[in-house]
Amino acid sequence: MNLYHCSIDLHHEAKAIAFANAVDQWMSYLRERNVIQGWRLLRRKLNLASDKHRDFLLEIEFANMTQLDQAFRVLGEMDENVERLYANVNALIASADFGLYRPFPDPERAERMALI
C-alpha cells in the first residue's frame, strides 16, 4: 500500500463543502476506474496545527506503483469528464504540497530483517 498525501489550502472565496463534494466526485470516479484503492479527506480541527500544516489533507491509497501510474494516466486522458472532474477540484485550490508514503517497515524489509 502506498499513500499519496496532498496537503491543501483553498482559495479564500472557495467553499469547503463545494471542495469536499468535488473531491468526492473525482475520487469516486478514480475508484470506479480501479486506479485507486481508497481515499479520505481530512480537515484541520480547531485550527490546531503549525503554520506548515495546511487546512485539508487528502490521502489517496494505491495498491502499488503501477496503480499510481495508472491514475496519472487517467488524468492525462483527453476526456471531457476527466477534465471537468479534475478542474472542479483544482479550481478551488490555492496551494498544495504532495508526498508519497509507504508503510514502514514494509513487508519485504520486515521479512529480510526477520532472517537476520
Side-chain angles (χ1 to χ4, degrees):
M1 180 67 60
N2 295 283
L3 292 173
Y4 191 71
H5 279 219
C6 310
S7 184
I8 301 164
D9 278 332
L10 302 182
H11 290 291
H12 290 294
E13 66 278 359
K15 302 292 185 203
I17 294 298
F19 175 68
N21 185 52
V23 169
D24 180 55
Q25 289 178 25
W26 176 229
M27 293 297 116
S28 294
Y29 176 81
L30 293 175
R31 180 70 188 107
E32 289 170 11
R33 295 278 305 264
N34 204 31
V35 296
I36 67 172
Q37 294 296 110
W39 64 277
R40 66 182 177 169
L41 181 64
L42 305 153
R43 188 170 192 188
R44 185 172 55 199
K45 186 171 182 173
L46 302 174
N47 206 24
L48 185 58
S50 72
D51 291 340
K52 295 178 182 180
H53 290 85
R54 300 196 183 276
D55 197 21
F56 288 91
L57 179 63
L58 174 62
E59 295 181 337
I60 308 169
E61 300 174 2
F62 297 94
N64 51 44
M65 295 302 289
T66 300
Q67 192 176 42
L68 175 65
D69 185 58
Q70 291 169 341
F72 279 114
R73 288 178 188 269
V74 167
L75 185 58
E77 292 176 358
M78 297 298 191
D79 178 271
E80 280 186 33
N81 192 37
V82 168
E83 290 176 10
R84 179 184 54 78
L85 290 169
Y86 178 76
N88 288 346
V89 172
N90 197 46
L92 301 173
I93 296 174
S95 57
D97 295 310
F98 306 93
L100 183 63
Y101 293 85
R102 64 183 168 90
F104 187 83
D106 55 354
E108 294 81 13
R109 187 176 309 255
E111 190 173 295
R112 282 191 301 243
M113 294 303 291
L115 294 174
I116 294 177

